[in-house]
Amino acid sequence: MKFQLQYYALLFLLLFILFIFFFVLRWSNKSILIINQEETFKQISSMELENVDRISSLHESIRRHILSFLSMEDAIKTSVLSKNWRHVCSSLPNLEFHEDSYGIKKSTLGYVDDFKDVVDQILIGHNESHITSFSLYLWMEKQSLSTSHLNSWINFAIRHNVQQLTLVSVFWQIKRISSCLFSYNTLTHMRLVNVHLKLPTTIKLPFLKCLVLSRIEFVNDNLSSMLFSSCCCPVLEQLQLFNCYQNHANTNVFSFSNLKLLKLQNNSKVPVKVLISRLHKFIYVGKEPPNLSTETLSSLSNTCFGLTLPPTNSNNTDPDYFDNSASKILAGLRNVEALNLRDFYLEFLTRDRDLSASLATPCYSLKSLKLCMHDTENQVCAITLLLRSYPNLQDLSISLNQDCTSLNMLNMEEYWQSTLLSTKDILKHLKTFDVELFQVSTNALDIMRYVLASARALEEMRVKVLEPLVNVEKDRMKLSEKLLTFPRASIRSAIYLCD
């Protein structure tokens, strides 16, 4: 009897364990099923979200802003994305067309195959919204576009109140450009390159702030002087002229009331006269020094002068051999902070018999000076006279050119009374001195010795020897040893020989 009771108790315990086991197993399967269902639902939801075109649902103005960061060709490609993007290019505010992007290869629109058709299709599909900028770059060697067709595009941009207009032809010259371009009220920026320009008798650009002209041939020279004055461009702030030609002009006169930046590259021998009282930055490259008014000189804070040819009067018996036009400019710069004298400007300075007197008045505002010199004793003396005129100079850079042909070989010591390399009260604030050499000459060593002995606050002198004239390590070591023997006014100065 006792054995039977134990048997039934064991059987009951076994059944109870089995019941618990099946209950736990069923509950766990149900939980796994719920979890799997949740994961499946999440995957389906994420797939649905991925299929939603969020960009197309953006407001049209936002989509236009996104397209403004793309090139014109890439912006056109977006028109095939969906129905919502089909006409997105019809209201682009910035239109920029490059001829080399079309014509050679099939256009992305499919139904046009050359540059002219692409531009026509874009302009025809454009709505009445304003155009901020319109840029046209013509790269083909042969003229592939008629002037009338080109003018129709310009007139289209003007009708849509364009503010910034760029027209560039790399190889062929654009002729008979639309005259309405120069009597337009909303234009603020204009850039023209390689244009045969016949200006209209009436020029009115009341809101033009920036004008860039390159490789322009002016047909009527008298009207070009009107363009470069406040009467036609009263608010102009930036003017840049590169290789522009005037057939019969006697003098190029620039007269503005609000101009801040003027860049001139004058390859002709037509004299340049500048009458601008508020000019801050002036960059000039030409064959002869320009004529700058006293007001212009005193207003400049940053300027660069590059004279591409040496003085033509190489005979010292010529009464025009001596010239003080270059030194008069420097004497008038009373508020300049950065000055760059390139090419043959120092050579023009050596033609001034009274250079020492011309540079006698110090200019305390100058902080940075860059010079390009040739390897002559006269230019070394001219540099020392220059350095005396700028007592607060902090950064000095000198690049020595090897070519000395056709330069002033007349000894100017009899005219310059102050040619001794005195170091008293000179370069007291100079901190950095950079030198570029094509060859290590006696004149170059004299300049470096003079600066090291004068600059009491000098921190660094960096000497860069350009290849290929000095390309042997032995010569570089000799130069380094030579520099270390020079006396230094500053105990903190370090000399670096750079590659």
Side-chain angles (χ1 to χ4, degrees):
M1 185 69 178
K2 185 177 179 180
F3 176 77
Q4 289 180 347
L5 289 174
Q6 292 179 347
Y7 171 77
Y8 288 121
L10 183 62
L11 180 62
F12 176 78
L13 180 61
L14 181 61
L15 291 174
F16 179 76
I17 293 174
L18 289 175
F19 173 77
I20 296 297
F21 173 76
F22 283 112
F23 176 80
V24 172
L25 181 62
R26 185 176 180 182
W27 181 83
S28 61
N29 289 337
K30 185 177 181 180
S31 299
I32 293 173
L33 180 61
I34 293 175
I35 294 174
N36 290 336
Q37 288 176 348
E38 291 178 353
E39 292 293 334
T40 304
F41 177 77
K42 290 180 181 181
Q43 292 178 1
I44 294 173
S45 299
S46 62
M47 292 175 63
E48 291 177 351
L49 291 175
E50 291 176 357
N51 292 330
V52 174
D53 188 357
R54 296 184 179 181
I55 297 181
S56 296
S57 62
L58 295 174
H59 192 271
E60 185 178 352
S61 61
I62 299 178
R63 282 184 285 162
R64 285 202 307 266
H65 182 70
I66 294 173
L67 291 180
S68 66
F69 295 97
L70 301 178
S71 65
M72 195 66 209
E73 188 177 10
D74 290 334
I76 294 174
K77 293 178 181 179
T78 62
S79 62
V80 300
L81 293 178
S82 66
K83 292 181 180 180
N84 294 333
W85 288 80
R86 182 174 300 173
H87 303 291
V88 71
C89 292
S90 63
S91 57
L92 289 177
N94 302 319
L95 301 179
E96 182 174 322
F97 302 100
H98 291 259
E99 191 177 25
D100 60 344
S101 298
Y102 308 95
I104 300 176
K105 55 186 178 181
K106 189 71 175 178
S107 173
T108 55
L109 289 179
Y111 53 86
V112 291
D113 56 4
D114 59 20
F115 175 70
K116 180 168 67 74
D117 290 339
V118 170
V119 179
D120 284 340
Q121 291 291 339
I122 295 298
L123 299 188
I124 290 174
H126 200 278
N127 56 26
E128 296 302 317
S129 61
H130 291 179
I131 296 177
T132 302
S133 67
F134 182 86
S135 303
L136 189 62
Y137 297 87
L138 306 175
W139 300 92
M140 299 304 176
E141 295 185 7
K142 296 182 179 180
Q143 183 172 349
S144 57
L145 190 66
S146 65
T147 304
S148 59
H149 210 106
L150 178 61
N151 283 329
S152 68
W153 295 347
I154 295 175
N155 292 332
F156 174 87
I158 292 176
R159 289 197 305 270
H160 287 73
N161 298 318
V162 65
Q163 297 179 21
Q164 303 175 17
L165 180 71
T166 299
L167 181 58
V168 176
S169 179
V170 178
F171 294 102
W172 55 276
Q173 189 181 63
I174 301 173
K175 297 184 178 181
R176 297 185 301 276
I177 195 173
S178 179
S179 59
C180 64
L181 188 60
F182 296 92
S183 57
Y184 186 57
N185 291 334
T186 62
L187 201 61
T188 61
H189 295 71
M190 180 165 61
R191 181 190 177 200
L192 303 178
V193 177
N194 200 6
V195 177
H196 184 267
L197 192 57
K198 184 177 182 180
L199 294 170
T201 55
T202 301
I203 304 174
K204 186 178 181 182
L205 298 166
F207 296 104
L208 189 67
K209 292 186 176 182
C210 179
L211 177 61
V212 181
L213 302 177
S214 178
R215 295 160 59 193
I216 303 297
E217 182 180 357
F218 291 99
V219 178
N220 37 5
D221 299 335
N222 56 333
L223 294 178
S224 64
S225 59
M226 292 177 54
L227 179 63
F228 303 140
S229 65
S230 294
C231 63
C232 297
C233 307
V235 299
L236 192 67
E237 296 180 353
Q238 297 184 24
L239 175 62
Q240 303 180 38
L241 300 180
F242 306 99
N243 300 328
C244 296
Y245 302 94
Q246 295 176 315
N247 297 323
H248 307 290
N250 296 322
T251 303
N252 291 331
V253 181
F254 301 89
S255 176
F256 295 95
S257 57
N258 294 296
L259 198 69
K260 303 296 188 298
L261 169 65
L262 177 60
K263 293 183 179 182
L264 295 180
Q265 184 174 338
N266 182 27
N267 287 334
S268 66
K269 285 197 172 184
V270 178
V272 172
K273 188 174 184 179
V274 181
L275 307 171
I276 306 172
S277 60
R278 298 181 181 178
L279 191 63
H280 293 167
K281 186 174 183 179
F282 182 41
I283 299 176
Y284 175 82
V285 178
K287 295 181 179 180
E288 296 180 352
N291 183 0
L292 307 180
S293 66
T294 304
E295 294 78 9
T296 302
L297 289 171
S298 61
S299 67
L300 290 170
S301 61
N302 189 334
T303 184
C304 173
F305 296 99
L307 301 180
T308 56
L309 292 177
T312 55
N313 44 1
S314 57
N315 185 1
N316 61 355
T317 60
D318 189 338
D320 295 330
Y321 178 81
F322 299 104
D323 184 5
N324 66 346
S325 58
S327 57
K328 285 176 61 177
I329 292 177
L330 299 185
L333 295 172
R334 310 317 313 161
N335 299 300
V336 64
E337 297 179 2
L339 177 62
N340 187 355
L341 304 180
R342 295 172 41 196
D343 304 320
F344 292 97
Y345 198 95
L346 283 178
E347 180 60 24
F348 273 82
L349 286 180
T350 64
R351 302 302 174 98
D352 185 0
R353 286 181 293 187
D354 300 320
L355 183 61
S356 179
S358 299
L359 301 177
T361 305
C363 175
Y364 295 98
S365 60
L366 191 70
K367 300 295 188 298
S368 175
L369 177 62
K370 294 183 179 181
L371 301 174
C372 177
M373 68 166 288
H374 293 79
D375 195 7
T376 68
E377 293 184 6
N378 285 335
Q379 292 200 15
V380 171
C381 293
I383 289 177
T384 60
L385 293 177
L386 268 178
L387 297 180
R388 295 177 186 181
S389 300
Y390 307 122
N392 292 330
L393 189 66
Q394 296 181 5
D395 302 300
L396 175 62
S397 176
I398 297 179
S399 177
L400 192 140
N401 197 324
Q402 179 187 9
D403 185 15
C404 305
T405 58
S406 303
L407 298 185
N408 181 13
M409 298 304 174
L410 178 66
N411 191 337
M412 300 297 290
E413 289 188 12
E414 59 178 296
Y415 302 104
W416 299 342
Q417 299 300 320
S418 180
T419 56
L420 296 177
L421 300 184
S422 173
T423 61
K424 183 179 179 181
D425 295 330
I426 302 296
L427 304 177
K428 292 187 296 183
H429 302 284
L430 189 69
K431 295 182 179 180
T432 62
F433 178 36
D434 293 288
V435 185
E436 285 189 356
L437 304 174
F438 280 95
Q439 62 180 3
V440 181
S441 64
T442 302
N443 290 323
L445 292 174
D446 287 343
I447 287 290
M448 289 186 282
R449 182 187 295 109
Y450 175 70
V451 172
L452 284 173
S454 306
R456 288 178 286 178
L458 187 67
E459 297 176 357
E460 292 183 0
M461 184 176 83
R462 296 180 289 264
V463 182
K464 184 176 182 180
V465 183
L466 303 177
E467 302 292 346
L469 293 180
V470 178
N471 53 10
V472 181
E473 188 65 25
K474 183 179 180 181
D475 294 335
R476 296 172 64 86
M477 289 297 298
K478 288 183 178 180
L479 175 61
S480 178
E481 293 173 357
K482 190 73 174 178
L483 293 175
L484 292 175
T485 62
F486 291 165
R488 306 184 201 182
S490 172
I491 60 175
R492 299 178 301 169
S493 61
I495 301 176
Y496 300 96
L497 193 59
C498 308
D499 294 328

